[in-house]
Protein backbone atom coordinates (compact mmCIF):
# COMPACT_ATOMS: atom_id res chain seq x y z
CA UNK A 1 0.00 0.00 0.00
CA UNK A 2 2.88 2.35 0.80
CA UNK A 3 4.26 1.77 -2.68
CA UNK A 4 0.97 2.87 -4.22
CA UNK A 5 0.56 -0.26 -6.32
CA UNK A 6 -2.36 -0.03 -8.78
CA UNK A 7 -5.47 -2.21 -8.83
CA UNK A 8 -4.08 -4.07 -11.87
CA UNK A 9 -0.47 -5.02 -11.46
CA UNK A 10 1.98 -7.76 -12.38
CA UNK A 11 5.40 -8.24 -10.78
CA UNK A 12 7.76 -10.94 -12.01
CA UNK A 13 11.04 -12.06 -10.45
CA UNK A 14 13.52 -13.56 -12.97
CA UNK A 15 16.85 -15.15 -12.07
CA UNK A 16 18.62 -13.43 -14.94
CA UNK A 17 20.34 -10.02 -14.84
CA UNK A 18 20.67 -9.29 -18.57
CA UNK A 19 17.88 -6.72 -18.91
CA UNK A 20 17.70 -6.77 -22.72
CA UNK A 21 17.51 -10.56 -22.66
CA UNK A 22 14.65 -10.49 -20.13
CA UNK A 23 12.85 -7.80 -22.13
CA UNK A 24 13.06 -9.86 -25.32
CA UNK A 25 11.68 -12.88 -23.51
CA UNK A 26 8.67 -10.78 -22.51
CA UNK A 27 8.05 -9.89 -26.15
CA UNK A 28 9.30 -6.33 -25.69
CA UNK A 29 11.13 -4.35 -28.37
CA UNK A 30 14.70 -4.11 -27.06
CA UNK A 31 15.33 -1.08 -29.31
CA UNK A 32 12.82 0.93 -27.25
CA UNK A 33 14.78 0.44 -24.02
CA UNK A 34 15.73 3.58 -22.12
CA UNK A 35 16.71 4.50 -18.57
CA UNK A 36 13.66 6.01 -16.88
CA UNK A 37 13.10 8.02 -13.71
CA UNK A 38 9.75 8.67 -12.00
CA UNK A 39 9.19 11.76 -14.19
CA UNK A 40 10.05 9.83 -17.35
CA UNK A 41 7.60 7.07 -16.42
CA UNK A 42 4.76 9.53 -15.95
CA UNK A 43 5.37 10.85 -19.46
CA UNK A 44 5.70 7.36 -20.97
CA UNK A 45 2.38 6.27 -19.49
CA UNK A 46 0.45 9.19 -20.96
CA UNK A 47 -0.04 7.01 -24.05
CA UNK A 48 -2.29 4.25 -22.69
CA UNK A 49 -2.23 2.44 -26.04
CA UNK A 50 1.36 1.36 -25.34
CA UNK A 51 2.03 -1.57 -23.01
CA UNK A 52 5.08 -0.78 -20.87
CA UNK A 53 7.56 -3.09 -19.14
CA UNK A 54 9.94 -1.79 -16.44
CA UNK A 55 13.00 -3.80 -15.42
CA UNK A 56 15.07 -3.27 -12.26
CA UNK A 57 18.31 -5.13 -11.50
CA UNK A 58 18.45 -6.72 -8.03
CA UNK A 59 21.71 -8.63 -7.68
CA UNK A 60 21.61 -11.55 -10.10
CA UNK A 61 17.82 -11.19 -10.41
CA UNK A 62 15.61 -8.86 -12.40
CA UNK A 63 12.32 -7.38 -11.19
CA UNK A 64 9.83 -6.90 -14.02
CA UNK A 65 7.04 -4.41 -13.25
CA UNK A 66 3.87 -4.09 -15.34
CA UNK A 67 1.51 -1.49 -13.86
CA UNK A 68 -1.78 -2.19 -15.61
CA UNK A 69 -0.22 -5.17 -17.43
CA UNK A 70 -0.35 -8.94 -17.18
CA UNK A 71 2.25 -10.49 -19.54
CA UNK A 72 4.24 -12.00 -16.67
CA UNK A 73 1.19 -13.97 -15.54
CA UNK A 74 0.99 -15.84 -18.86
CA UNK A 75 2.49 -19.33 -18.85
CA UNK A 76 4.24 -18.81 -22.20
CA UNK A 77 6.03 -15.72 -20.83
CA UNK A 78 6.93 -17.33 -17.49
CA UNK A 79 8.36 -20.32 -19.32
CA UNK A 80 10.31 -17.98 -21.60
CA UNK A 81 11.83 -15.82 -18.85
CA UNK A 82 12.66 -18.85 -16.66
CA UNK A 83 14.85 -20.53 -19.31
CA UNK A 84 18.06 -21.51 -17.57
CA UNK A 85 16.79 -20.28 -14.20
CA UNK A 86 13.65 -19.45 -12.24
CA UNK A 87 10.76 -17.03 -12.57
CA UNK A 88 7.84 -16.21 -10.27
CA UNK A 89 5.01 -13.82 -11.03
CA UNK A 90 2.33 -12.23 -8.87
CA UNK A 91 -0.64 -10.73 -10.70
CA UNK A 92 -3.81 -9.07 -9.52
CA UNK A 93 -6.66 -7.22 -11.17
CA UNK A 94 -9.29 -6.12 -8.67
CA UNK A 95 -10.98 -9.02 -6.90
CA UNK A 96 -11.80 -11.34 -9.78
CA UNK A 97 -8.46 -12.01 -11.48
CA UNK A 98 -5.44 -12.80 -9.28
CA UNK A 99 -2.70 -15.37 -9.78
CA UNK A 100 0.72 -16.68 -8.82
CA UNK A 101 2.87 -18.56 -11.33
CA UNK A 102 6.23 -20.26 -10.83
CA UNK A 103 8.40 -21.67 -13.62
CA UNK A 104 11.70 -23.55 -13.54
CA UNK A 105 14.04 -23.75 -16.53
CA UNK A 106 11.38 -23.19 -19.17
CA UNK A 107 8.59 -25.26 -17.59
CA UNK A 108 5.57 -24.00 -15.62
CA UNK A 109 5.85 -25.76 -12.26
CA UNK A 110 2.71 -24.39 -10.61
CA UNK A 111 0.02 -21.79 -11.19
CA UNK A 112 -2.98 -20.89 -9.06
CA UNK A 113 -5.41 -18.17 -8.09
CA UNK A 114 -4.16 -16.40 -4.98
CA UNK A 115 -7.65 -16.60 -3.49
CA UNK A 116 -7.97 -20.35 -4.18
CA UNK A 117 -4.71 -21.98 -3.13
CA UNK A 118 -6.05 -25.53 -3.19
CA UNK A 119 -6.70 -25.60 -6.93
CA UNK A 120 -3.37 -25.62 -8.75
CA UNK A 121 -2.03 -26.74 -12.09
CA UNK A 122 1.43 -27.26 -13.57
CA UNK A 123 4.18 -29.87 -13.74
CA UNK A 124 4.76 -29.78 -9.95
CA UNK A 125 1.68 -28.15 -8.36
CA UNK A 126 2.89 -28.54 -4.76
CA UNK A 127 6.42 -27.20 -5.27
CA UNK A 128 5.74 -24.02 -3.25
CA UNK A 129 3.86 -25.70 -0.37
CA UNK A 130 6.64 -25.25 2.18
CA UNK A 131 7.10 -21.58 1.32
CA UNK A 132 3.35 -20.89 1.40
CA UNK A 133 3.05 -22.48 4.82
CA UNK A 134 6.03 -20.54 6.18
CA UNK A 135 4.57 -17.24 4.95
CA UNK A 136 1.07 -18.01 6.22
CA UNK A 137 -0.31 -17.61 2.70
CA UNK A 138 -3.60 -19.47 2.97
CA UNK A 139 -7.26 -19.23 2.05
CA UNK A 140 -9.48 -17.13 4.28
CA UNK A 141 -7.26 -14.03 4.54
CA UNK A 142 -8.32 -10.61 3.31
CA UNK A 143 -7.25 -9.73 -0.23
CA UNK A 144 -4.70 -7.18 1.06
CA UNK A 145 -3.18 -9.79 3.39
CA UNK A 146 -3.00 -12.28 0.53
CA UNK A 147 -1.31 -9.73 -1.76
CA UNK A 148 1.26 -8.87 0.92
CA UNK A 149 2.14 -12.51 1.48
CA UNK A 150 2.25 -13.13 -2.27
CA UNK A 151 4.84 -10.37 -2.63
CA UNK A 152 6.73 -11.85 0.33
CA UNK A 153 6.83 -15.14 -1.61
CA UNK A 154 8.81 -13.30 -4.29
CA UNK A 155 11.22 -12.09 -1.62
CA UNK A 156 11.69 -15.63 -0.36
CA UNK A 157 12.22 -17.17 -3.79
CA UNK A 158 14.67 -14.47 -4.91
CA UNK A 159 16.39 -13.84 -1.58
CA UNK A 160 16.03 -10.06 -2.05
CA UNK A 161 13.89 -7.72 0.06
CA UNK A 162 11.08 -5.84 -1.66
CA UNK A 163 10.46 -2.27 -0.50
CA UNK A 164 8.51 0.74 -1.77
CA UNK A 165 11.87 2.32 -2.56
CA UNK A 166 12.96 -0.63 -4.69
CA UNK A 167 9.77 -0.34 -6.73
CA UNK A 168 10.45 3.36 -7.34
CA UNK A 169 14.09 2.88 -8.32
CA UNK A 170 15.40 4.05 -11.66
CA UNK A 171 14.63 1.34 -14.17
CA UNK A 172 14.97 0.33 -17.80
CA UNK A 173 11.72 0.93 -19.68
CA UNK A 174 10.61 -1.03 -22.74
CA UNK A 175 7.53 -1.20 -24.94
CA UNK A 176 5.90 -4.61 -25.30
CA UNK A 177 5.19 -4.33 -28.99
CA UNK A 178 4.66 -7.98 -29.86
CA UNK A 179 3.62 -10.18 -26.88
CA UNK A 180 4.61 -13.82 -27.13
CA UNK A 181 1.84 -16.01 -28.58
CA UNK A 182 1.05 -19.35 -26.97
CA UNK A 183 0.73 -22.42 -29.24
CA UNK A 184 -2.90 -22.73 -30.30
CA UNK A 185 -3.09 -26.23 -28.82
CA UNK A 186 -0.88 -27.39 -25.93
CA UNK A 187 1.33 -30.30 -26.94
CA UNK A 188 -0.16 -32.68 -24.38
CA UNK A 189 -3.60 -32.28 -26.01
CA UNK A 190 -2.23 -33.79 -29.23
CA UNK A 191 -0.71 -37.05 -28.00
CA UNK A 192 -3.20 -38.59 -27.69
CA UNK A 193 -5.34 -36.14 -29.64
CA UNK A 194 -8.30 -34.81 -27.67
CA UNK A 195 -11.57 -35.56 -29.54
CA UNK A 196 -13.05 -32.07 -29.04
CA UNK A 197 -10.33 -30.65 -31.30
CA UNK A 198 -12.09 -32.31 -34.23
CA UNK A 199 -15.46 -30.71 -33.57
CA UNK A 200 -16.41 -28.41 -36.49
CA UNK A 201 -16.17 -25.14 -34.52
CA UNK A 202 -12.71 -25.97 -33.14
CA UNK A 203 -11.48 -27.17 -36.54
CA UNK A 204 -12.52 -23.84 -38.12
CA UNK A 205 -11.11 -21.66 -35.33
CA UNK A 206 -7.77 -23.47 -35.17
CA UNK A 207 -7.43 -23.31 -38.95
CA UNK A 208 -8.26 -19.58 -39.04
CA UNK A 209 -7.49 -17.75 -35.76
CA UNK A 210 -7.95 -14.39 -37.47
CA UNK A 211 -9.78 -11.35 -36.03
CA UNK A 212 -12.65 -12.01 -38.46
CA UNK A 213 -13.39 -15.26 -36.58
CA UNK A 214 -13.80 -13.51 -33.19
CA UNK A 215 -17.65 -13.57 -33.32
CA UNK A 216 -17.62 -17.35 -33.85
CA UNK A 217 -15.16 -17.80 -30.99
CA UNK A 218 -17.39 -15.73 -28.69
CA UNK A 219 -20.43 -17.84 -29.62
CA UNK A 220 -18.54 -21.07 -28.93
CA UNK A 221 -17.11 -19.72 -25.66
CA UNK A 222 -20.43 -18.48 -24.30
CA UNK A 223 -22.24 -21.72 -25.22
CA UNK A 224 -19.46 -23.73 -23.54
CA UNK A 225 -19.52 -21.65 -20.35
CA UNK A 226 -23.32 -21.79 -20.12
CA UNK A 227 -23.08 -25.59 -20.26
CA UNK A 228 -20.19 -25.81 -17.78
CA UNK A 229 -21.94 -23.61 -15.20
CA UNK A 230 -25.44 -24.91 -16.01
CA UNK A 231 -26.71 -21.35 -16.40
CA UNK A 232 -30.46 -21.23 -16.88
CA UNK A 233 -33.15 -18.66 -17.49
CA UNK A 234 -33.67 -15.91 -20.06
CA UNK A 235 -30.44 -13.97 -19.44
CA UNK A 236 -27.94 -16.49 -20.90
CA UNK A 237 -30.39 -17.17 -23.74
CA UNK A 238 -30.53 -13.44 -24.49
CA UNK A 239 -26.73 -13.30 -24.61
CA UNK A 240 -26.59 -16.13 -27.15
CA UNK A 241 -29.34 -14.55 -29.22
CA UNK A 242 -27.54 -11.19 -29.28
CA UNK A 243 -24.29 -12.88 -30.38
CA UNK A 244 -26.19 -14.67 -33.13
CA UNK A 245 -28.44 -11.87 -34.40
CA UNK A 246 -27.30 -8.56 -32.90
CA UNK A 247 -29.27 -6.04 -30.84
CA UNK A 248 -33.06 -5.98 -31.08
CA UNK A 249 -33.07 -2.35 -29.91
CA UNK A 250 -30.43 0.35 -29.26
CA UNK A 251 -28.75 -0.13 -25.91
CA UNK A 252 -29.71 -3.80 -25.47
CA UNK A 253 -26.06 -4.84 -25.19
CA UNK A 254 -25.48 -2.36 -22.35
CA UNK A 255 -28.66 -3.46 -20.59
CA UNK A 256 -27.64 -7.12 -20.72
CA UNK A 257 -24.16 -6.30 -19.43
CA UNK A 258 -25.65 -4.41 -16.47
CA UNK A 259 -27.92 -7.35 -15.65
CA UNK A 260 -25.05 -9.84 -15.90
CA UNK A 261 -22.83 -7.76 -13.63
CA UNK A 262 -25.59 -7.37 -11.06
CA UNK A 263 -26.41 -11.09 -11.02
CA UNK A 264 -22.71 -12.00 -10.83
CA UNK A 265 -22.34 -9.77 -7.77
CA UNK A 266 -25.40 -11.26 -6.10
CA UNK A 267 -24.16 -14.81 -6.72
CA UNK A 268 -20.71 -13.90 -5.38
CA UNK A 269 -22.21 -12.53 -2.14
CA UNK A 270 -24.16 -15.74 -1.64
CA UNK A 271 -21.35 -18.08 -2.67
CA UNK A 272 -19.67 -18.65 0.72
CA UNK A 273 -19.34 -22.41 1.00
CA UNK A 274 -21.17 -22.96 -2.30
CA UNK A 275 -18.92 -23.96 -5.23
CA UNK A 276 -21.96 -23.91 -7.53
CA UNK A 277 -22.74 -20.25 -6.80
CA UNK A 278 -19.07 -19.32 -7.10
CA UNK A 279 -19.00 -20.97 -10.53
CA UNK A 280 -22.22 -19.16 -11.45
CA UNK A 281 -20.71 -15.80 -10.49
CA UNK A 282 -17.54 -16.33 -12.53
CA UNK A 283 -19.50 -17.66 -15.51
CA UNK A 284 -21.73 -14.58 -15.53
CA UNK A 285 -18.62 -12.39 -15.56
CA UNK A 286 -17.42 -14.31 -18.64
CA UNK A 287 -20.71 -13.50 -20.39
CA UNK A 288 -20.43 -9.87 -19.23
CA UNK A 289 -17.01 -9.56 -20.84
CA UNK A 290 -18.12 -11.41 -23.96
CA UNK A 291 -20.57 -8.56 -24.66
CA UNK A 292 -17.93 -5.87 -25.00
CA UNK A 293 -18.70 -4.04 -28.27
CA UNK A 294 -15.46 -4.92 -30.10
CA UNK A 295 -15.37 -8.69 -30.84
CA UNK A 296 -11.58 -9.13 -30.58
CA UNK A 297 -11.44 -7.20 -27.30
CA UNK A 298 -14.43 -9.17 -26.01
CA UNK A 299 -12.82 -12.50 -26.94
CA UNK A 300 -9.59 -11.55 -25.17
CA UNK A 301 -11.31 -10.39 -21.98
CA UNK A 302 -13.85 -13.22 -21.83
CA UNK A 303 -11.45 -16.09 -22.49
CA UNK A 304 -8.96 -14.81 -19.92
CA UNK A 305 -11.76 -14.89 -17.35
CA UNK A 306 -13.04 -18.26 -18.59
CA UNK A 307 -9.78 -20.14 -18.05
CA UNK A 308 -10.14 -19.44 -14.30
CA UNK A 309 -13.47 -21.23 -14.04
CA UNK A 310 -13.63 -24.29 -11.81
CA UNK A 311 -14.50 -26.93 -14.36
CA UNK A 312 -15.89 -30.32 -13.35
CA UNK A 313 -14.00 -32.19 -16.07
CA UNK A 314 -10.54 -31.95 -17.59
CA UNK A 315 -12.05 -31.70 -21.06
CA UNK A 316 -14.05 -28.59 -20.12
CA UNK A 317 -10.86 -26.94 -18.87
CA UNK A 318 -8.99 -27.88 -22.05
CA UNK A 319 -11.73 -26.42 -24.24
CA UNK A 320 -11.44 -23.09 -22.44
CA UNK A 321 -7.65 -23.06 -22.65
CA UNK A 322 -7.67 -23.65 -26.41
CA UNK A 323 -10.27 -20.91 -26.93
CA UNK A 324 -8.13 -18.56 -24.84
CA UNK A 325 -5.06 -19.30 -26.94
CA UNK A 326 -6.97 -18.80 -30.17
CA UNK A 327 -8.11 -15.40 -28.86
CA UNK A 328 -4.49 -14.46 -28.09
CA UNK A 329 -3.58 -15.06 -31.74
CA UNK A 330 -6.61 -13.04 -32.86
CA UNK A 331 -5.66 -10.12 -30.63
CA UNK A 332 -2.05 -10.23 -31.87
CA UNK A 333 -3.14 -10.23 -35.52
CA UNK A 334 -5.60 -7.41 -34.82
CA UNK A 335 -2.88 -5.34 -33.18
CA UNK A 336 -0.60 -5.84 -36.18
CA UNK A 337 -3.35 -4.66 -38.51
CA UNK A 338 -3.85 -1.34 -36.71
CA UNK A 339 -0.91 0.55 -38.28
CA UNK A 340 -2.45 -0.22 -41.68
CA UNK A 341 -5.77 1.26 -40.64
CA UNK A 342 -7.64 -2.05 -40.64
Amino acid sequence: MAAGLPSQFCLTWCRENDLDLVAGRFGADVETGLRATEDDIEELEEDDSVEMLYLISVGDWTLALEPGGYQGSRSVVLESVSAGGLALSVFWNGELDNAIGFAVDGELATSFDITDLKRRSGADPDVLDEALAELGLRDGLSLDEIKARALALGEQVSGHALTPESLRASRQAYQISDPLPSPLVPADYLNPREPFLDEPAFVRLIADPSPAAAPELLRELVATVITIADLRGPLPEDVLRLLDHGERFPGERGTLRSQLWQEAGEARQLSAGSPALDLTSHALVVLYRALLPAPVEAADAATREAVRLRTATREDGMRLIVLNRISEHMERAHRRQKPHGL
Side-chain angles (χ1 to χ4, degrees):
M1 293 175 70
L5 302 183
S7 59
Q8 181 173 339
F9 179 72
C10 189
L11 181 61
T12 307
W13 289 258
C14 318
R15 195 172 67 187
E16 169 60 62
N17 59 9
D18 183 328
L19 298 187
D20 282 352
L21 179 62
V22 172
R25 289 177 174 177
F26 264 86
D29 182 354
V30 175
E31 297 299 318
T32 65
L34 57 87
R35 204 66 187 165
T37 63
E38 284 281 337
D39 291 339
D40 297 326
I41 291 167
E42 186 174 343
E43 183 176 343
L44 288 169
E45 293 181 351
E46 287 181 358
D47 182 359
D48 58 11
S49 67
V50 176
E51 191 173 356
M52 297 301 302
L53 172 71
Y54 304 113
L55 301 183
I56 300 172
S57 293
V58 184
D60 56 349
W61 287 72
T62 296
L63 275 178
L65 287 74
E66 298 176 83
Y70 65 92
Q71 293 299 327
S73 69
R74 298 174 58 224
S75 59
V76 66
V77 173
L78 265 183
E79 289 167 349
S80 172
V81 298
S82 72
L86 306 172
L88 180 135
S89 73
V90 174
F91 167 74
W92 62 67
N93 181 14
E95 297 183 4
L96 294 175
D97 201 5
N98 308 280
I100 288 175
F102 180 59
V104 180
D105 195 16
E107 182 177 51
L108 185 67
T110 187
S111 177
F112 50 91
D113 191 307
I114 64 177
T115 60
D116 186 8
L117 304 184
K118 295 178 182 178
R119 187 169 181 269
R120 308 177 200 174
S121 58
D124 188 2
D126 302 327
V127 66
L128 295 175
D129 276 5
E130 185 176 337
L132 297 176
E134 184 176 336
L135 293 168
L137 182 50
R138 61 186 187 278
D139 292 331
L141 299 172
S142 72
L143 189 56
D144 281 343
E145 289 173 321
I146 290 171
K147 288 178 179 179
R149 286 164 172 76
L151 296 177
L153 179 64
E155 290 186 311
Q156 189 170 78
V157 168
S158 68
H160 293 282
L162 186 66
T163 65
E165 289 71 30
S166 66
L167 293 177
R168 298 191 188 102
S170 176
R171 75 282 309 267
Q172 197 78 357
Y174 301 85
Q175 294 181 12
I176 298 180
S177 55
D178 197 18
L180 301 180
S182 302
L184 288 172
V185 181
D188 58 338
Y189 296 6
L190 298 171
N191 188 24
R193 185 177 178 86
E194 296 295 336
F196 77 88
L197 295 172
D198 295 317
E199 294 175 4
F202 276 91
V203 170
R204 289 193 299 271
L205 290 167
I206 291 169
D208 178 27
S210 68
E216 181 175 6
L217 183 146
L218 285 167
R219 180 59 168 78
E220 182 66 22
L221 174 71
V222 167
T224 300
V225 168
I226 288 173
T227 300
I228 289 172
D230 193 24
L231 298 180
R232 303 181 184 183
L235 192 53
E237 294 176 4
D238 285 344
V239 173
L240 284 174
R241 187 206 47 73
L242 187 146
L243 291 174
D244 286 336
H245 305 294
E247 291 184 303
R248 290 174 295 182
F249 55 86
E252 183 185 14
R253 183 184 298 271
T255 299
L256 286 177
R257 295 192 80 222
S258 297
Q259 291 172 343
L260 289 163
W261 188 255
Q262 181 178 346
E263 289 201 12
E266 291 171 355
R268 186 166 59 251
Q269 289 178 348
L270 297 171
S271 66
S274 172
L277 283 174
D278 184 61
L279 176 58
T280 297
S281 174
H282 279 222
L284 289 168
V285 173
V286 174
L287 270 59
Y288 166 81
R289 294 185 176 178
L291 289 186
L292 286 167
V296 173
E297 180 185 355
D300 177 57
T303 57
R304 284 198 284 119
E305 181 68 35
V307 293
R308 300 198 180 280
L309 290 177
R310 292 186 180 189
T311 57
T313 69
R314 181 171 180 266
E315 181 183 314
D316 286 340
M318 291 190 293
R319 286 173 179 270
L320 297 177
I321 287 171
V322 172
L323 290 172
N324 175 241
R325 292 194 172 191
I326 293 170
S327 79
E328 287 179 0
H329 282 252
M330 289 179 177
E331 199 277 333
R332 189 171 191 244
H334 180 65
R335 194 171 55 251
R336 288 179 164 186
Q337 288 174 352
K338 283 183 178 179
H340 303 287
L342 300 177

